[in-house]
Amino acid sequence: MRRRDAPAVLAAASIACALVVAKPAGALDATPVEIAVTPWRFAALGGGSSDHLKVLGALKLSSADDRFGGFSGIVVSPDGGTLLAVSDQSWWLKGDLQYTNGSLSGFANVRMAPLPGPDGRRPKRKRMQDAEALVALTPRGPDGPVAVAFERAPRVQRHAPGKDGFPGKAQAVRAPREVDAGPDNAEMEALGLLTAGPHRGRFIALSEGAFTAEGDAVKGWVFAGKGKPFEFSVRIDGSFRITDLAVLPEGDILLLERSFAAPTWLPGMSVRLVRAADVTPGAVIDPEPLYKAHVPGAMVDNMEGLAVWRTPAGERRLLVISDDNYARDRQSTILVEFALTLPEPRP
């Protein structure tokens, strides 16, 4: 999702590591991508962590490949080793996450492929390309079936595994008609698959700018699976707007949010928690705040994609990616890894 271009943020030091050679941007099959991977000083001025999120590592990813950028949704394998991302120009990105002393330190074996529609081809019109969210549908993570949510032409697509390790041809998922009733380019922004409770196995989606009549909350929907679709809403936090969500194994939901607010227009990022039991028909939900940071305290960019997993020792990890809007002179593709500690359940 394009927003007011953020001011240039501090460049990170280190020598970029080139990987494999890219093929032409118009290639139809999966192709290697030459990228540079640079450590990013996310907590450069001492910010970036809270009681619930602790920064463990951050990387800046860059490439001269025309396809690279605009990443708005991610999923990570259960072991944290593989990342699959989707761009808002309908490209897949896949690669291996690398760790040093348990913290994110590299991204290798990177490839890209077109995101196909129901006809098996990547959409030609930008309005149809605008993928904003990605969710794994099985414990296989990025190697199993996935679903993608689109915003400008609101819809959900299910993709079975395809060739070259990428998701294949799309199948439409029926979503509520109201999903397409919000402001243009501010509709379905986040998508997840509920993992527990009475709505287990159903999709949950949130809009970016489809406000309720009161104007202090945005609309969300639960649909597909068993039962009738229903609507609920989530109260906004000032200038922050929802960009993604991740459903935890026990059913609670993490919300990723971003802000570009006057007078500085410096980027901000927040994470809030929705309890699974609060997602009911007609509910107006007040999420619990877990984390908030702005430039210059933390080197935040246009944070849009969110994924969670656990280490073999049982530690929760959270990965966030930024969408550079293909504006490489002003914005960056940043990967940030956090250790996640959840608050105790409410009485």
Side-chain angles (χ1 to χ4, degrees), residues 133-325:
L134 175 64
V135 57
L137 301 180
T138 71
R140 293 178 60 194
D143 294 321
V146 299
V148 180
F150 294 79
E151 185 174 28
R152 292 191 183 184
R155 65 196 189 279
V156 176
Q157 293 179 176
R158 189 189 306 266
H159 296 259
K163 64 178 182 178
D164 300 324
F166 283 89
K169 185 177 177 180
Q171 180 183 11
V173 175
R174 189 171 184 177
R177 187 175 302 173
E178 291 77 12
V179 167
D180 196 11
D184 185 51
N185 208 22
E187 294 151 306
M188 188 160 44
E189 183 77 15
L191 182 73
L193 185 70
L194 295 170
T195 55
H199 311 305
R200 180 178 180 179
R202 308 187 73 188
F203 286 114
I204 180 172
L206 287 165
S207 67
E208 180 185 8
F211 285 87
T212 60
E214 292 74 16
D216 63 347
V218 293
K219 296 178 181 180
W221 304 270
V222 170
F223 59 95
K226 296 181 180 179
K228 293 182 179 180
F230 66 83
E231 186 174 297
F232 64 98
S233 61
V234 174
R235 293 195 194 279
I236 61 170
D237 177 16
S239 63
F240 284 91
R241 298 294 180 266
I242 295 167
T243 58
D244 205 358
L245 66 83
V247 181
L248 300 172
E250 59 269 38
D252 292 339
I253 302 150
L254 294 174
L255 304 181
L256 174 66
E257 300 168 316
R258 54 105 187 277
S259 171
F260 290 102
T264 64
W265 299 107
L266 293 175
M269 164 189 164
S270 78
V271 176
R272 295 192 293 166
L273 177 68
V274 171
R275 299 293 182 178
D278 292 340
V279 182
T280 58
V284 181
I285 301 171
D286 284 300
E288 301 172 46
L290 302 184
Y291 172 89
K292 186 180 290 186
H294 285 86
V295 170
M299 292 297 98
V300 177
D301 210 292
N302 180 34
M303 315 311 283
E304 286 225 14
L306 174 69
V308 293
W309 74 99
R310 282 184 183 268
T311 68
E315 183 180 39
R316 294 180 189 267
R317 297 291 178 92
L318 185 151
L319 191 71
V320 179
I321 196 169
S322 66
D323 173 0
D324 69 354
N325 288 317

Side-chain angles (χ1 to χ4, degrees), residues 12-240:
S14 188
I15 297 175
C17 302
L19 299 182
V20 286
V21 178
K23 290 190 177 181
L28 296 179
D29 296 323
T31 55
V33 181
E34 180 180 336
I35 70 169
V37 181
T38 308
W40 183 256
R41 296 183 63 203
F42 186 81
L45 298 183
S49 294
S50 72
D51 291 341
H52 300 291
L53 268 72
K54 177 184 177 182
V55 178
L56 297 179
L59 304 173
K60 177 181 177 180
L61 311 179
S62 57
S63 176
D65 191 303
D66 290 341
R67 300 170 297 176
F68 189 88
F71 301 114
S72 302
I74 56 175
V75 294
V76 176
S77 59
D79 64 356
T82 302
L83 169 73
L84 177 68
V86 66
S87 84
D88 55 19
Q89 291 189 6
S90 282
W91 295 104
W92 300 115
L93 174 82
K94 196 172 188 179
D96 298 331
L97 296 166
Q98 299 174 325
Y99 300 85
T100 300
N101 297 324
S103 296
L104 181 67
S105 60
F107 188 49
N109 303 319
V110 182
R111 298 175 297 148
M112 294 188 72
L115 190 165
D119 64 355
R121 299 181 180 182
R122 173 176 169 265
K124 293 182 179 180
R125 296 171 54 210
K126 169 59 181 172
R127 185 174 185 83
M128 300 299 293
Q129 294 172 356
D130 193 15
E132 290 291 340
L134 175 64
V135 57
L137 301 180
T138 71
R140 293 178 60 194
D143 294 321
V146 299
V148 180
F150 294 79
E151 185 174 28
R152 292 191 183 184
R155 65 196 189 279
V156 176
Q157 293 179 176
R158 189 189 306 266
H159 296 259
K163 64 178 182 178
D164 300 324
F166 283 89
K169 185 177 177 180
Q171 180 183 11
V173 175
R174 189 171 184 177
R177 187 175 302 173
E178 291 77 12
V179 167
D180 196 11
D184 185 51
N185 208 22
E187 294 151 306
M188 188 160 44
E189 183 77 15
L191 182 73
L193 185 70
L194 295 170
T195 55
H199 311 305
R200 180 178 180 179
R202 308 187 73 188
F203 286 114
I204 180 172
L206 287 165
S207 67
E208 180 185 8
F211 285 87
T212 60
E214 292 74 16
D216 63 347
V218 293
K219 296 178 181 180
W221 304 270
V222 170
F223 59 95
K226 296 181 180 179
K228 293 182 179 180
F230 66 83
E231 186 174 297
F232 64 98
S233 61
V234 174
R235 293 195 194 279
I236 61 170
D237 177 16
S239 63
F240 284 91

